[in-house]
Amino acid sequence: MATVNGTSATRLLSFSDALVLLGGDPPAVAALDRALGGALNAATGGIGDGVLRIADARGRIVGLGRDAVRNLGRRLGRSEGRSERTELLQAAHTVIVVVAWFQALGGSDLPFGVDDLELTRSEQLALAGAPDPRCGAAFAQSLAAVDAPQPAPHRPFEDVTAEMRRWHEGLSERFLGFVEGLQVWGDLTEFDRNSARRVLATELPRRAVQLYEGLYAQLAQQAPEFGSG
């Protein structure tokens, strides 16, 4: 599979940045930001206002992300110059990386419901002061500066997917830290906690990479830089 020319040296994007670059509706992106407690507007650090609502955020991320991927070809057709095209390609790749994980989350066999997962501002602040960096704020901030591996001309795609698996594992670990700070975790049996850890550590990242590869193939239909070879 071919690689995206030049994206490896470009700046990190937040998920919301990527959506806007690809023509995402600003009010819809703002609503996503609110569902993530303002994290997408805090790419330089800090904690957003409001409540971190995973179920709401997941639905918005998947929906907006799918729309953005479908619009890539049209945005590329209006791009002016190599620099803008490269930025659009990076944005599209950032989107599918995040969408793949959230799609996988929705299909995971976890012993709790995604609807039960939310973190209030006071809980965010409490977790932010904890010594363990795996907290709700850390999970949300992963979407404010997506540092996932990028395809590049000198890298086989198989190497990128191996690194993508590790990135999704890291996001799952931060998500586990978020869940462990909630009441829903305290209500689980030890058996269910171990089951959740196993799903998040292995099954979810593996499924996320499979979904990523499918989304990548969709991008290849719109941009030769993502083409197979």
Side-chain angles (χ1 to χ4, degrees):
M1 188 173 290
T3 51
V4 181
N5 222 5
T7 57
S8 60
T10 50
R11 67 184 178 88
L12 296 181
L13 290 174
S14 73
F15 186 72
S16 59
D17 286 340
L19 290 175
V20 171
L21 281 170
L22 294 170
D25 180 50
V29 175
L32 168 60
D33 188 35
R34 289 192 296 274
L36 285 167
L40 296 180
N41 280 328
T44 58
I47 299 176
D49 294 325
V51 176
L52 180 58
R53 296 185 177 91
I54 294 300
D56 190 15
R58 195 196 79 82
R60 293 178 188 275
I61 283 173
V62 172
L64 292 172
R66 285 173 174 168
D67 289 344
V69 170
R70 283 195 293 267
N71 289 334
L72 176 61
R74 185 173 61 196
R75 297 291 291 181
L76 289 173
R78 298 202 300 265
S79 64
E80 298 181 0
R82 182 181 180 85
S83 177
E84 183 179 352
R85 184 178 181 89
T86 296
E87 191 170 41
L88 289 171
L89 294 172
Q90 187 200 8
H93 188 262
T94 296
V95 165
I96 67 170
V97 168
V98 175
V99 166
W101 188 89
F102 276 91
Q103 280 187 297
L105 174 65
S108 295
D109 186 19
L110 290 164
F112 49 78
V114 177
D115 288 343
D116 298 326
L117 305 179
E118 68 177 34
L119 189 66
T120 66
R121 177 167 171 77
S122 61
E123 288 171 326
Q124 290 185 51
L125 290 169
L127 284 172
D132 188 348
R134 300 180 310 147
C135 63
F139 168 71
Q141 288 300 314
S142 298
L143 308 181
V146 180
D147 60 349
Q150 292 279 342
H154 61 283
R155 306 181 64 202
F157 186 73
E158 292 75 13
D159 291 350
V160 176
T161 56
E163 291 189 21
M164 194 66 65
R165 170 70 179 267
R166 290 191 288 272
W167 188 87
H168 282 128
E169 288 172 347
L171 185 59
S172 296
E173 182 180 8
R174 290 186 287 276
F175 179 69
L176 174 60
F178 160 66
V179 175
E180 287 176 337
L182 304 179
Q183 181 60 47
V184 66
W185 185 261
D187 293 338
L188 296 177
T189 65
E190 190 58 30
F191 177 86
D192 284 341
R193 290 179 186 177
N194 287 332
S195 175
R197 292 185 183 106
R198 175 183 53 77
V199 170
L200 292 172
T202 59
E203 295 179 13
L204 194 158
R206 180 172 61 247
R207 178 58 177 156
V209 170
Q210 293 172 345
L211 291 167
Y212 162 78
E213 290 174 338
L215 291 167
Y216 192 98
Q218 291 180 33
L219 294 184
Q221 298 176 5
Q222 302 181 68
E225 292 90 340
F226 289 110
S228 59

